[in-house]
Amino acid sequence: QQQVKQSPQSLIVQKGGISIINCAYENTAFDYFPWYQQFPGKGPALLIAIRPDVSEKKEGRFTISFNKSAKQFSLHIMDSQPGDSATYFCAASLNSGYALNFGKGTSLLVTP
Amino acid sequence: EADIYQTPRYLVIGTGKKITLECSQTMGHDKMYWYQQDPGMELHLIHYSYGVNSTEKGDLSSESTVSRIRTEHFPLTLESARPSHTSQYLCASQGQRSYEQYFGPGTRLTVT
């Protein structure tokens, strides 16, 4: 059973545009929601993460919006650049320090 | 950049062979994980360990086994490789007081 559902599967955005990736979860006990970025031939790397006690977290061009009542969270990439082209995974974990449940990933292509 | 290493990076072997995928980290992390990543990108947890002499199976059924004799080392073994084992295998580690998982570069395994 997929614990974290991610959409869209793929996304094409023009340079300078906003990329938006959405995730939904079922388990209300999840308390840690990271986003990972993966480039071809590399392992995933943590991009940004949020805890459920805040509704938004911003780091540079990357923002997580979190809606606890809807059990949804999303990643916004402002001013998208070709270098942002990668696969993005949302995830959630129980008690913060345990195994991550990943979404299926979104392949982002930013065109020049 | 995190100090977590995987060898080999690429491996092509015949059916029935025994193989061991190596994973080492130099950060002194207690928690380590193995994920299997499909060509379609999704990551599945196959094994995890919360410390020396502690190993557990993950959500995805796997015919592989793991051991954790030393903190820094978490090898994964396939006793008899099959074509269905063809995949990318990612190792990750996590500190005791940290939420972040650090991933290695992965081993791409092809069983012919």
Side-chain angles (χ1 to χ4, degrees):
Chain A
Q1 182 185 359
Q2 187 77 25
Q3 299 238 35
V4 179
K5 295 182 179 179
Q6 183 172 347
S7 64
Q9 185 175 359
S10 62
L11 182 61
I12 300 174
V13 173
Q14 282 194 329
K15 179 182 176 181
I18 302 174
S19 304
I20 302 174
I21 305 171
N22 301 299
C23 284
Y25 64 96
E26 288 298 322
N27 191 339
T28 56
F30 286 147
D31 69 346
Y32 174 65
F33 303 89
W35 284 90
Y36 278 78
Q37 180 188 54
Q38 185 178 25
F39 293 104
K42 304 280 189 181
L46 180 66
L47 186 63
I48 187 172
I50 198 168
R51 301 290 304 280
D53 51 348
V54 296
S55 61
E56 186 175 282
K57 183 174 181 180
K58 184 175 181 180
E59 290 184 2
R61 296 184 294 110
F62 302 92
T63 300
I64 298 180
S65 296
F66 186 81
N67 186 329
K68 189 173 182 178
S69 61
K71 294 187 286 185
Q72 295 175 347
F73 58 111
S74 60
L75 176 69
H76 291 64
I77 305 174
M78 311 300 288
D79 188 26
S80 298
Q81 299 296 312
D84 297 331
S85 298
T87 301
Y88 293 82
F89 294 92
C90 63
S93 75
L94 211 59
N95 300 324
S96 303
Y98 292 88
L100 291 168
N101 296 275
F102 282 92
K104 291 192 175 185
T106 296
S107 179
L108 171 66
L109 175 64
V110 181
T111 59
Chain B
E1 195 164 314
D3 296 326
I4 180 163
Y5 308 99
Q6 289 186 244
T7 57
R9 291 293 314 278
Y10 303 92
L11 181 62
V12 180
I13 61 167
T15 297
K17 298 291 186 183
K18 177 180 178 180
I19 59 166
T20 296
L21 307 184
E22 302 289 347
C23 176
S24 294
Q25 49 95 5
T26 59
M27 298 170 282
H29 287 170
D30 291 317
K31 299 172 187 171
M32 295 189 74
Y33 307 86
W34 276 103
Y35 293 88
Q36 185 173 338
Q37 185 171 30
D38 300 333
M41 305 179 297
E42 187 174 3
L43 283 84
H44 298 282
L45 180 68
I46 51 175
H47 295 283
Y48 60 98
S49 167
Y50 292 150
V52 170
N53 294 325
S54 153
T55 61
E56 300 287 344
K57 287 186 180 292
D59 301 325
L60 182 68
S61 175
S62 174
E63 294 163 347
S64 58
T65 59
V66 292
S67 63
R68 190 87 183 277
I69 298 172
R70 291 181 289 145
T71 298
E72 63 271 21
H73 196 212
F74 190 39
L76 181 145
T77 298
L78 279 167
E79 291 292 333
S80 180
R82 295 210 296 260
S84 61
H85 296 138
T86 294
S87 189
Q88 168 144 279
Y89 293 84
L90 288 163
C91 179
S93 72
Q94 182 179 12
Q96 189 67 22
R97 294 184 182 83
S98 171
Y99 305 145
E100 181 175 356
Q101 287 190 20
Y102 294 89
F103 282 83
T107 294
R108 182 162 295 282
L109 173 65
T110 302
V111 183
T112 60

